[in-house]
């Protein structure tokens, strides 16, 4: 949330371009500014026109592929030098950078992220302590992801978590089955 946002006009144009329809035909309302911003994109709160359902709309940052590509080019160039001149390093740093870059580029495809959410729901959706938002594939593309809006609090808002009668450690351990079993 501390990252700077990009202009709403760019985000809204991306939604229209990616989904190939005007914003007004998809949403009856959309937040005037992003609810959150991250390194790869930002999120808006919107209401689907056809159902009235509240959704989160994640929009990819403009030109993020180029920025990441340049970063990885520079890091890979440095890794080749490390491989060549630093004897203490026994791993192939360039190969590690290549694998990391491949994974990051997978994250840039929001359709892939949506499919991963569906897989996650199949694996863990029956757990009472796990909620996986529904994905709206008709309003999802490589650069736009639309899913159920989920009200919540951040893990660093400990007082708000306590006020809801929740235990922070139990929430954290929900994502770590080994810790969940080990915790009394």
């Amino acid at each position: 949330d501390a990252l700077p946002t990009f202009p709403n006009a760019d985000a809204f144009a991306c939604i229209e371009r990616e989904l190939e329809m005007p914003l007004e035909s998809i949403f009856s309302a959309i937040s005037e500014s992003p609810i959150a911003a991250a390194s790869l994109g930002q999120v808006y709160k919107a209401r689907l026109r056809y159902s009235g359902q509240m959704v989160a709309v994640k929009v990819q940052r403009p030109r993020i592929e180029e920025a990441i590509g340049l970063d990885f080019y520079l890091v890979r160039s440095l890794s080749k030098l490390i491989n060549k001149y630093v004897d203490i390093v026994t791993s192939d740093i360039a190969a590690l950078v290549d694998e990391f870059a491949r994974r990051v580029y997978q994250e840039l495809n929001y359709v892939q992220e949506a499919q991963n959410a569906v897989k996650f729901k199949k694996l863990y959706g029956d757990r009472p302590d796990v909620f996986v938002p529904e994905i709206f594939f008709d309003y999802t593309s490589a650069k736009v992801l639309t899913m159920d809006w989920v009200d919540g609090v951040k893990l660093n808002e400990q007082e708000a978590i306590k006020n809801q009668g929740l235990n922070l450690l139990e929430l954290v351990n929900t994502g770590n089955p080994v810790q969940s079993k080990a915790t009394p």
Side-chain angles (χ1 to χ4, degrees):
D1 294 340
L3 288 173
T5 61
F6 57 90
N8 293 330
D10 291 349
F12 296 159
C14 178
I15 294 169
E16 290 181 335
R17 185 176 53 255
E18 287 289 310
L19 302 183
E20 300 179 339
M21 52 183 114
L23 209 60
E24 302 79 30
S25 69
I26 306 167
F27 308 112
S28 57
I30 189 164
S31 55
E32 291 181 17
S33 58
I35 303 301
S39 57
L40 300 181
Q42 57 195 34
V43 177
Y44 293 85
K45 185 175 184 179
R47 183 178 303 281
L48 288 175
R49 181 166 294 287
Y50 85 94
S51 68
Q53 188 164 356
M54 294 305 295
V55 293
V57 183
K58 183 176 174 182
V59 184
Q60 195 173 99
R61 285 187 180 278
R63 296 169 295 286
I64 191 70
E65 300 97 335
E66 292 88 353
I68 289 174
L70 177 59
D71 289 347
F72 278 119
Y73 174 78
L74 296 171
V75 170
R76 192 168 196 290
S77 297
L78 180 62
S79 70
K80 286 181 177 181
L81 292 172
I82 291 171
N83 281 345
K84 187 173 182 177
Y85 296 110
V86 180
D87 294 334
I88 194 170
V89 177
T90 58
S91 297
D92 183 350
I93 303 300
L96 293 172
V97 169
D98 289 346
E99 178 61 19
F100 182 63
R102 189 174 72 78
R103 298 293 179 171
V104 168
Y105 275 103
Q106 285 177 343
E107 288 289 314
L108 291 177
N109 183 345
Y110 288 173
V111 172
Q112 181 66 49
E113 183 176 338
Q115 291 168 342
N116 289 342
V118 170
K119 288 178 189 174
F120 186 85
K121 188 170 193 162
K122 285 180 184 174
L123 292 171
Y124 301 102
D126 61 338
R127 288 185 55 164
D129 53 351
V130 174
F131 177 78
V132 183
E134 196 68 36
I135 304 295
F136 295 88
F137 280 94
D138 289 343
Y139 305 110
T140 294
S141 72
K143 296 183 179 191
V144 176
L145 174 60
T146 304
M147 66 179 78
D148 276 334
W149 178 263
V150 179
D151 287 316
V153 296
K154 298 175 187 173
L155 287 177
N156 65 352
E157 297 174 355
Q158 295 179 23
E159 197 60 38
I161 291 171
K162 287 178 188 174
N163 290 341
Q164 292 185 21
L166 300 171
N167 179 300
L168 180 61
L169 186 58
E170 287 176 13
L171 288 174
V172 171
N173 285 338
T174 295
N176 185 350
V178 174
Q179 287 295 324
S180 293
K181 292 175 186 170
T183 303

